[in-house]
Amino acid sequence: MSEPLIFAIPSKGRLKEQVDGWLTDCGFTLETDGGERGYRARLRGLPQVDVRLMSASDIAAALDAGDIHLGVTGEDLLRESGSLTDDPHTDDRVMLLRALGFGRADLVVAAPQSWIDVEVMADLEEVAHLYLARTGGRLRVATKYAVQTRAFFAAKGVADYRIVESGGATEGAPAAGLAELVVDITTTGATLAANNLKIISDGVILKSQAQLAASLRAPWTAGQLGSVRRLVSTAEARARARKLASLRWPPEADTVAEAAVAPWLTAGATRRTDGLLAPESALFDLAAALAEAGVGPVSVTRPDYVFEAVCAVVDRLAERVSHRA
């Protein structure tokens, strides 16, 4: 028997529920060993996959180390680990395969609301310089995201500050007198506002969300790549199907119908032997064009999946891991 693909998903909380829902929607059922408190699972519909239940931060670390092949975690955690960068001279250790559309949060710079003259990062640069001249110390920035904070502040030209590692509730650091600024994850900004903090208008470091990611350090076999291809191509087919509708008409009207729908064949619609597969946004325009041409009845169905012959992202993954072998 070939080695299984090791796939890690969050072990608890809202993110686990969302991943479970995504897998179920794609047609894969998660079966946990040892009940709800188990830390190993299987995916019905995707054999040869060993599912591990871990914290989101542990998943990011395991992807970085090559201890697992595949994982779902936040992009913010992957970038903080340094396994995923925008530097063309740095080899990434993790590859993003698919953004999942949930687990959204922004990594932001926030300052006290009382700093009425501070609206953009350029203002912070000036305040930091004045603070250093007045106190002899640097502005303190409380954060759990030191790597991304340093890179962002450098890009914005802010140098007179120092990082204060946050071990607890970061947003409370200014009120406790531990820092002047914070860099933290937020979904709505409500917690920051409740702590009398405001988000700097150009201080959004990262718009993060849950990502399906693959380790470039893990040892890969053809069978493991095949399992990833099946998972990703199915997820893509499910997402593609939500945006498409299938139109059918009587066979005897085919010639007239083909002429009526011709303008849409260069705008995302695909001709089929029994009708047309078209973007749902064009559905009513197509129905009207067919009716005007005297074609009917026209039936509309929504496909469950629309598979393509290739899965480009997994092809790129296969190429990248082969180069590292």
Side-chain angles (χ1 to χ4, degrees):
M1 182 178 294
S2 61
E3 290 292 320
L5 175 84
I6 302 176
F7 178 26
I9 66 173
S11 58
K12 60 183 179 180
R14 175 63 175 157
L15 188 55
K16 180 182 185 300
E17 295 173 2
Q18 292 172 317
V19 174
D20 287 354
W22 170 67
L23 289 169
T24 300
D25 183 64
C26 290
F28 304 114
T29 304
L30 189 69
E31 298 176 333
T32 306
D33 294 335
E36 291 188 1
R37 293 184 179 272
Y39 289 92
R40 301 289 284 272
R42 298 179 301 276
L43 280 176
R44 184 187 298 171
L46 196 62
Q48 291 299 299
V49 175
D50 179 5
V51 179
R52 309 277 177 88
L53 279 72
M54 306 165 63
S55 71
S57 58
D58 285 347
I59 292 172
L63 285 166
D64 183 80
D67 295 333
I68 60 176
H69 297 99
L70 202 66
V72 174
T73 190
E75 185 177 344
D76 58 307
L77 296 173
L78 293 171
R79 292 194 179 277
E80 187 59 27
S81 71
S83 56
L84 183 68
T85 72
D86 295 319
D87 186 347
H89 303 293
T90 302
D91 287 336
D92 289 345
R93 301 186 291 273
V94 170
M95 177 179 170
L96 300 183
L97 301 183
R98 183 170 183 81
L100 300 181
F102 51 78
R104 296 183 185 275
D106 295 342
L107 182 61
V108 302
V109 182
Q113 292 177 357
S114 58
W115 291 16
I116 58 175
D117 293 331
V118 175
E119 295 294 336
V120 296
M121 291 298 295
D123 297 332
L124 273 186
E125 180 186 3
E126 182 178 352
V127 167
H129 180 71
L130 292 173
Y131 185 89
L132 178 61
R134 180 169 57 86
T135 68
R138 298 178 185 273
L139 280 178
R140 296 167 297 173
V141 182
T143 188
K144 299 181 179 75
Y145 298 90
V147 172
Q148 293 170 89
T149 298
R150 290 191 181 101
F152 185 75
F153 275 46
K156 294 292 185 178
V158 180
D160 294 327
Y161 73 95
R162 64 184 177 92
I163 297 289
V164 177
E165 294 287 348
S166 173
T170 304
E171 65 275 3
L178 302 176
E180 285 69 51
L181 304 169
V182 304
V183 171
D184 203 9
I185 282 287
T186 183
T187 52
T188 65
T191 302
L192 292 173
N195 284 273
N196 299 312
L197 297 171
K198 62 181 180 181
I199 298 171
I200 302 300
S201 62
D202 61 344
V204 178
I205 298 175
L206 175 69
K207 300 187 80 66
S208 182
Q209 64 178 298
Q211 295 274 357
L212 179 67
S215 174
L216 299 176
R217 284 185 161 181
W220 287 86
T221 66
Q224 290 159 348
L225 286 168
S227 294
V228 174
R229 187 177 301 276
R230 183 168 178 176
L231 172 63
V232 174
S233 63
T234 301
E236 289 181 346
R238 185 74 178 113
R240 196 178 292 119
R242 289 196 189 92
K243 301 176 183 178
L244 297 172
S246 179
L247 291 83
R248 291 182 172 86
W249 47 76
E252 60 272 18
D254 200 54
T255 301
V256 176
E258 186 165 1
V261 302
W264 284 272
L265 295 179
T266 58
T270 304
R271 185 73 169 91
R272 298 170 47 170
T273 55
D274 59 346
L276 189 74
L277 192 63
E280 189 165 353
S281 59
L283 175 60
F284 295 116
D285 289 339
L286 279 162
L290 288 164
E292 187 175 343
V295 176
V298 175
S299 63
V300 177
T301 57
R302 266 70 173 186
D304 292 327
Y305 302 89
V306 177
F307 287 91
E308 295 286 359
V310 298
C311 185
V313 68
V314 178
D315 288 342
R316 289 196 296 272
L317 171 63
E319 181 181 4
R320 294 186 71 177
V321 298
S322 68
H323 288 167
R324 287 179 177 243

